[in-house]
Amino acid sequence: MKKLRILFAITVLAVFLSNCTNKSDEYIDPRGTDYAGSESCIQCHQTQYDMALKSSHFRATAPALLGNVLGDFDKGNHTFIYDKNTKLAIEKRNDSLYQVLYKNGKEVEAHPFDIVFGAKHAQTSVYWRDGNTYELPISYYHSIKGWATSPGFPADKPYFDRMVVKDCYSCHASNASSRNVEQNSAEKNVMSMDVEDVIDPKTIVYGIDCERCHGPAKKHAEFHLKNPNVKVANSITSFKTLNKQQRLDACALCHGGNDGMKMKSRFDFKPGNNLSEFYRSTRSITDTATFDVHGNQFRLMAQSKCFINSEKMDCITCHNPHENASKNLASYSKICMSCHQSGIKHSDKTLKTMSGSLLASNCVECHMPKKSSGAIKFQLSDSKQLSNYILRTHKIGIYPAK
Ligand code: HEC
Ligand code: HEC
Ligand code: HEC
Ligand code: HEC
Ligand code: HEC
Ligand code: HEC
Ligand code: HEC
């Protein structure tokens, strides 16, 4: 009996100790203890995880490890010429990449790629300086398969001082916390209110992860681990129970432009919240202004007759949120035709430009044409010309033939 009791005590102790070690290994999410982190979803949602891992959302920001930076550094040209004496070169030093400025052949300054933003059409990078991130002067563009000025940057002289503020992270990352730091005393006297925000690198959760869209899910994961027989989702917001505006808001948070007034941090938004409490656009939903094709799919879609005159259109009518937008335009035609089954009145003139079957799989080509962004332009090395950044418009409509 006594032996048994000792054995029991040892077992309890062992379980206790192993729990202790487990505890110390446990993932701690910078957003707090309500969050579990994407890795913890794999065991039950492998399909969504595998898709999302390859998505632009997951890669919207990332540490600038060699594999995450666009551009093939084993070949090709990675320099940008400002003038005959000034050039910027991208160089691999140890395991990091740098943008290095040369004047008359001499190195003047060098800044590392620390964090990358974007993957699909373009990628810009930032480096850390005094607790904040600053954009590097040249960025990679897929359309030219090479480097050009970062959007809005000059092509005649290098510029290293554009701060990439927390606002950028609020659409490109899942978390970034900042703290106010009082400026050094000399400056403090000038303006006693002056405080400076610095971003704490340890608090950045890169990319747009599962819980950025679904809200904190630790309770959900723990519940289902304890109750493997329960097949109905517990402790998580279901998009199926959200109304249309809430579903739209969950995407418009980041795809609805950035020209309004901010009331609360985007990071605090959870599915089911009303975007109007976080961000007030200066424009009404019926505004007929021209919105930019970059970053404002929501406003453009909202101007389409398809959206205005149908009950059910939202972003997930056409997009699987876990996957990248399909390159297969015919697959979208099927979605168009789910509402436009028959009796579309195409004129003889239109029908002459394309055979019936081609027309049937190319709705998007004519009705959501590619347009240049007014907000983003870039300049190539040694060129005075601005190049256009081209995206498909989400204002579904009738456009003149090209
Ligand atoms: C131990 C298993 C388990 C883990 C871990 C888990 N889930 Fe789930 N989850 C479930 C089950 C079971 C359902 C209900 C069946 C279904 O929809 O797949 C579910 C459903 C969901 C749904 C759909 C809700 C609905 O009704 O529309 C979402 C979203 C979701 N989980 C997100 C997550 C996220 C994010 C994580 C990681 C932080 C996660 N889950 C971790 C088991 C789990
Ligand atoms: C937290 C901000 C945020 C939220 C919320 C968000 N997105 Fe995005 N989305 C982005 C950013 C940033 C990109 C660009 C990523 C890149 O290319 O680096 C993007 C890219 C995309 C793409 C293009 C992907 C590709 O490679 O083709 C689609 C489609 C998309 N989002 C749809 C949605 C939908 C639908 C929702 C709502 C369910 C949504 N997004 C919610 C920020 C967000
Ligand atoms: C209101 C949300 C929002 C803010 C703020 C924002 N972005 Fe974006 N950004 C997006 C979305 C959405 C996309 C992808 C879709 C598009 O281009 O329309 C995108 C695309 C990009 C891309 C191209 C990515 C690709 O894969 O093609 C880069 C680079 C980028 N943003 C950098 C930045 C930087 C740097 C800042 C801050 C100066 C910033 N963004 C601020 C939402 C935002
Ligand atoms: C860009 C936002 C976004 C991201 C990132 C995202 N989800 Fe979702 N997820 C959604 C939306 C929106 C739905 C509802 C889709 C629908 O009803 O068609 C959804 C649906 C689901 C469902 C229900 C089943 C299904 O596939 O429709 C599960 C489970 C799920 N997500 C898990 C995850 C997990 C796990 C991750 C991370 C690996 C993740 N999601 C990342 C937006 C997102
Ligand atoms: C959810 C249903 C729905 C989907 C999906 C849909 N539409 Fe529509 N669309 C409508 C409705 C409703 C109207 C308005 C019809 C009217 O007013 O007579 C419309 C109108 C249009 C118009 C006339 C626009 C104008 O300005 O006169 C065009 C063109 C069109 N749709 C093309 C498309 C294409 C292309 C797609 C796919 C990319 C698509 N639609 C997807 C419902 C939809
Ligand atoms: C009627 C169908 C439809 C709806 C609804 C729709 N999209 Fe799209 N979306 C498309 C098509 C088509 C493309 C282009 C795919 C391509 O060219 O490969 C696209 C591309 C995108 C891209 C990538 C931009 C680019 O050019 O690479 C983003 C981001 C995006 N959609 C976000 C959204 C958001 C956010 C919503 C809701 C506000 C939305 N979409 C609603 C059809 C739709
Ligand atoms: C070659 C370009 C082209 C393609 C491809 C195309 N359309 Fe159109 N569509 C037009 C033009 C142009 C008009 C205006 C009427 C006209 O001149 O034919 C139009 C008009 C429409 C209208 C408004 C007229 C009406 O019947 O209410 C709808 C809806 C429409 N198209 C839907 C579609 C759908 C759905 C597809 C794919 C199955 C598609 N279109 C493919 C060029 C095109």
Side-chain angles (χ1 to χ4, degrees), residues 318-333:
C318 297
H319 295 295
N320 177 339
H322 306 126
E323 256 184 333
N324 292 337
S326 170
K327 286 195 179 63
N328 176 6
L329 292 186
S331 68
Y332 292 100
S333 290

Side-chain angles (χ1 to χ4, degrees), residues 41-237:
C41 318
I42 305 176
Q43 51 188 314
C44 302
H45 301 297
Q46 183 87 45
T47 323
Q48 285 84 0
Y49 187 85
D50 288 348
M51 276 185 205
L53 194 64
K54 288 181 248 149
S55 72
S56 305
H57 278 136
F58 258 48
R59 297 186 301 158
T61 40
L65 307 173
L66 279 181
N68 292 339
V69 182
L70 297 180
D72 182 353
F73 295 99
D74 293 329
K75 56 174 193 263
N77 183 5
H78 305 288
T79 49
F80 188 95
I81 313 285
Y82 287 101
D83 60 47
K84 62 181 193 306
N85 304 322
T86 319
K87 72 166 189 180
L88 192 74
I90 295 174
E91 290 175 12
K92 194 150 79 177
R93 296 180 176 175
N94 298 321
D95 278 334
S96 303
L97 290 162
Y98 287 78
Q99 293 198 3
V100 188
L101 179 67
Y102 288 94
K103 282 217 166 110
N104 300 316
K106 270 210 203 82
E107 178 176 333
V108 192
E109 53 185 308
H111 300 284
F113 286 68
D114 284 327
I115 297 170
V116 293
F117 276 73
K120 188 182 189 186
H121 295 282
Q123 186 177 70
T124 202
S125 306
V126 300
Y127 69 96
W128 285 102
R129 186 170 94 198
D130 304 333
N132 273 301
T133 54
Y134 290 82
E135 194 164 359
L136 290 167
I138 65 173
S139 295
Y140 190 88
Y141 297 87
H142 279 299
S143 61
I144 55 164
K145 294 192 175 61
W147 303 88
T149 55
S150 297
F153 275 59
D156 56 350
K157 56 177 185 299
Y159 186 69
F160 289 97
D161 300 326
R162 185 184 185 216
M163 199 193 282
V164 165
V165 293
K166 208 173 116 185
D167 197 40
C168 303
Y169 293 89
S170 76
C171 287
H172 282 267
S174 299
N175 189 63
S177 307
S178 55
R179 25 190 192 100
N180 287 333
V181 173
E182 290 194 36
Q183 287 190 343
N184 62 44
S185 51
E187 280 163 81
K188 210 163 109 188
N189 289 336
V190 184
M191 240 219 231
S192 57
M193 290 291 290
D194 239 8
V195 285
E196 197 183 1
D197 259 355
V198 302
I199 299 172
D200 180 354
K202 288 195 296 294
T203 65
I204 299 181
V205 178
Y206 290 102
I208 292 148
D209 73 353
C210 313
E211 287 163 292
R212 182 72 173 110
C213 286
H214 288 294
K218 179 112 171 212
K219 259 203 197 134
H220 164 76
E222 281 174 357
F223 175 89
H224 287 286
L225 280 170
K226 281 203 203 93
N227 303 280
N229 295 325
V230 179
K231 300 293 176 217
V232 180
N234 188 286
S235 304
I236 190 122
T237 309

Side-chain angles (χ1 to χ4, degrees), residues 303-314 317-318 329 332-340 344-346 362-368 395-399:
Q303 292 183 335
S304 316
K305 284 209 183 134
C306 307
F307 178 81
I308 297 165
N309 294 348
S310 73
E311 279 302 307
K312 58 177 174 123
M313 184 180 273
D314 60 27
T317 306
C318 297
L329 292 186
Y332 292 100
S333 290
K334 291 211 182 78
I335 301 171
C336 306
M337 288 189 285
S338 70
C339 290
H340 296 283
I344 304 167
K345 298 181 206 87
H346 283 118
N362 275 295
C363 316
V364 166
E365 208 49 74
C366 295
H367 292 296
M368 297 178 72
K395 185 173 176 178
I396 309 169
I398 295 167
Y399 294 85

Side-chain angles (χ1 to χ4, degrees), residues 23-40:
K23 278 258 152 53
S24 65
D25 288 348
E26 210 176 280
Y27 170 79
I28 299 165
D29 194 287
R31 289 167 289 191
T33 49
D34 293 343
Y35 288 81
S38 296
E39 304 256 306
S40 72

